[in-house]
mmCIF file of all heavy atoms in Angstrom:
data_model
loop_
_atom_site.group_PDB
_atom_site.id
_atom_site.type_symbol
_atom_site.label_atom_id
_atom_site.label_comp_id
_atom_site.label_asym_id
_atom_site.label_seq_id
_atom_site.Cartn_x
_atom_site.Cartn_y
_atom_site.Cartn_z
ATOM 1 N N ILE A 556 98.675 127.343 126.240
ATOM 2 C CA ILE A 556 97.845 127.896 125.161
ATOM 3 C C ILE A 556 98.404 127.434 123.825
ATOM 4 O O ILE A 556 99.585 127.633 123.550
ATOM 5 C CB ILE A 556 97.840 129.440 125.228
ATOM 6 C CG1 ILE A 556 97.208 129.887 126.542
ATOM 7 C CG2 ILE A 556 97.102 130.044 124.039
ATOM 8 C CD1 ILE A 556 97.229 131.385 126.774
ATOM 9 N N SER A 557 97.578 126.813 123.004
ATOM 10 C CA SER A 557 98.064 126.281 121.734
ATOM 11 C C SER A 557 96.998 126.386 120.658
ATOM 12 O O SER A 557 95.803 126.439 120.958
ATOM 13 C CB SER A 557 98.447 124.809 121.890
ATOM 14 O OG SER A 557 99.360 124.653 122.940
ATOM 15 N N ALA A 558 97.448 126.372 119.389
ATOM 16 C CA ALA A 558 96.529 126.641 118.263
ATOM 17 C C ALA A 558 95.712 125.412 117.868
ATOM 18 O O ALA A 558 96.237 124.298 117.774
ATOM 19 C CB ALA A 558 97.330 127.127 117.070
ATOM 20 N N LEU A 559 94.419 125.639 117.619
ATOM 21 C CA LEU A 559 93.532 124.609 117.068
ATOM 22 C C LEU A 559 93.459 124.732 115.557
ATOM 23 O O LEU A 559 93.286 123.757 114.846
ATOM 24 C CB LEU A 559 92.094 124.799 117.597
ATOM 25 C CG LEU A 559 91.861 124.824 119.081
ATOM 26 C CD1 LEU A 559 90.385 125.034 119.363
ATOM 27 C CD2 LEU A 559 92.318 123.492 119.662
ATOM 28 N N GLU A 560 93.521 125.976 115.091
ATOM 29 C CA GLU A 560 93.301 126.242 113.666
ATOM 30 C C GLU A 560 93.989 127.542 113.299
ATOM 31 O O GLU A 560 94.038 128.472 114.102
ATOM 32 C CB GLU A 560 91.778 126.338 113.422
ATOM 33 C CG GLU A 560 91.410 126.793 112.034
ATOM 34 C CD GLU A 560 89.979 126.423 111.621
ATOM 35 O OE1 GLU A 560 89.321 125.623 112.321
ATOM 36 O OE2 GLU A 560 89.536 126.932 110.588
ATOM 37 N N GLY A 561 94.494 127.605 112.067
ATOM 38 C CA GLY A 561 95.060 128.850 111.554
ATOM 39 C C GLY A 561 94.251 129.301 110.349
ATOM 40 O O GLY A 561 93.810 128.472 109.550
ATOM 41 N N ILE A 562 94.029 130.601 110.233
ATOM 42 C CA ILE A 562 93.343 131.149 109.051
ATOM 43 C C ILE A 562 94.329 132.108 108.404
ATOM 44 O O ILE A 562 94.797 133.044 109.056
ATOM 45 C CB ILE A 562 92.034 131.885 109.421
ATOM 46 C CG1 ILE A 562 91.049 130.906 110.081
ATOM 47 C CG2 ILE A 562 91.362 132.478 108.172
ATOM 48 C CD1 ILE A 562 91.080 130.890 111.538
ATOM 49 N N ALA A 563 94.668 131.838 107.125
ATOM 50 C CA ALA A 563 95.710 132.655 106.499
ATOM 51 C C ALA A 563 95.253 133.180 105.146
ATOM 52 O O ALA A 563 94.550 132.492 104.398
ATOM 53 C CB ALA A 563 96.980 131.824 106.321
ATOM 54 N N ASN A 564 95.656 134.405 104.864
ATOM 55 C CA ASN A 564 95.498 134.973 103.516
ATOM 56 C C ASN A 564 96.815 134.712 102.805
ATOM 57 O O ASN A 564 97.814 135.376 103.047
ATOM 58 C CB ASN A 564 95.222 136.476 103.641
ATOM 59 C CG ASN A 564 94.964 137.118 102.294
ATOM 60 O OD1 ASN A 564 95.252 136.519 101.263
ATOM 61 N ND2 ASN A 564 94.428 138.329 102.306
ATOM 62 N N ARG A 565 96.828 133.686 101.929
ATOM 63 C CA ARG A 565 98.088 133.214 101.350
ATOM 64 C C ARG A 565 98.413 133.841 99.996
ATOM 65 O O ARG A 565 99.328 133.401 99.311
ATOM 66 C CB ARG A 565 98.042 131.692 101.188
ATOM 67 C CG ARG A 565 97.927 130.962 102.515
ATOM 68 C CD ARG A 565 97.802 129.464 102.318
ATOM 69 N NE ARG A 565 98.950 128.883 101.653
ATOM 70 C CZ ARG A 565 100.043 128.449 102.283
ATOM 71 N NH1 ARG A 565 100.120 128.526 103.592
ATOM 72 N NH2 ARG A 565 101.054 127.936 101.605
ATOM 73 N N GLY A 566 97.641 134.857 99.597
ATOM 74 C CA GLY A 566 97.885 135.464 98.281
ATOM 75 C C GLY A 566 97.700 134.417 97.195
ATOM 76 O O GLY A 566 96.915 133.475 97.345
ATOM 77 N N ASN A 567 98.446 134.552 96.062
ATOM 78 C CA ASN A 567 98.339 133.482 95.047
ATOM 79 C C ASN A 567 99.637 132.673 94.988
ATOM 80 O O ASN A 567 99.988 132.099 93.970
ATOM 81 C CB ASN A 567 97.952 134.050 93.676
ATOM 82 C CG ASN A 567 98.961 135.073 93.169
ATOM 83 O OD1 ASN A 567 100.051 135.199 93.735
ATOM 84 N ND2 ASN A 567 98.612 135.797 92.125
ATOM 85 N N TYR A 568 100.305 132.624 96.129
ATOM 86 C CA TYR A 568 101.589 131.932 96.229
ATOM 87 C C TYR A 568 101.497 130.477 95.756
ATOM 88 O O TYR A 568 102.280 130.032 94.916
ATOM 89 C CB TYR A 568 102.079 131.983 97.683
ATOM 90 C CG TYR A 568 103.335 131.202 97.921
ATOM 91 C CD1 TYR A 568 104.577 131.717 97.548
ATOM 92 C CD2 TYR A 568 103.301 129.947 98.528
ATOM 93 C CE1 TYR A 568 105.730 131.006 97.764
ATOM 94 C CE2 TYR A 568 104.458 129.224 98.747
ATOM 95 C CZ TYR A 568 105.672 129.754 98.362
ATOM 96 O OH TYR A 568 106.818 129.044 98.574
ATOM 97 N N ASP A 569 100.528 129.721 96.282
ATOM 98 C CA ASP A 569 100.487 128.281 95.994
ATOM 99 C C ASP A 569 100.174 127.998 94.523
ATOM 100 O O ASP A 569 100.806 127.145 93.907
ATOM 101 C CB ASP A 569 99.453 127.599 96.896
ATOM 102 C CG ASP A 569 99.709 127.921 98.355
ATOM 103 O OD1 ASP A 569 100.520 127.238 98.987
ATOM 104 O OD2 ASP A 569 99.113 128.907 98.860
ATOM 105 N N LEU A 570 99.183 128.732 93.985
ATOM 106 C CA LEU A 570 98.853 128.493 92.569
ATOM 107 C C LEU A 570 100.011 128.936 91.670
ATOM 108 O O LEU A 570 100.268 128.318 90.633
ATOM 109 C CB LEU A 570 97.546 129.208 92.195
ATOM 110 C CG LEU A 570 96.264 128.608 92.810
ATOM 111 C CD1 LEU A 570 95.031 129.379 92.339
ATOM 112 C CD2 LEU A 570 96.119 127.123 92.467
ATOM 113 N N THR A 571 100.711 129.974 92.058
ATOM 114 C CA THR A 571 101.886 130.402 91.281
ATOM 115 C C THR A 571 102.956 129.307 91.295
ATOM 116 O O THR A 571 103.503 128.939 90.248
ATOM 117 C CB THR A 571 102.497 131.694 91.885
ATOM 118 O OG1 THR A 571 101.477 132.670 91.960
ATOM 119 C CG2 THR A 571 103.662 132.214 91.075
ATOM 120 N N GLN A 572 103.225 128.771 92.478
ATOM 121 C CA GLN A 572 104.254 127.732 92.600
ATOM 122 C C GLN A 572 103.909 126.527 91.730
ATOM 123 O O GLN A 572 104.762 125.994 91.021
ATOM 124 C CB GLN A 572 104.372 127.257 94.062
ATOM 125 C CG GLN A 572 104.954 128.290 95.013
ATOM 126 C CD GLN A 572 106.400 128.578 94.704
ATOM 127 O OE1 GLN A 572 106.725 129.605 94.095
ATOM 128 N NE2 GLN A 572 107.291 127.671 95.087
#
Side-chain angles (χ1 to χ4, degrees):
I556 297 176
S557 306
L559 304 179
E560 172 159 349
I562 298 95
N564 183 345
R565 296 177 61 88
N567 59 12
Y568 175 78
D569 307 275
L570 290 181
T571 305
Q572 291 293 102

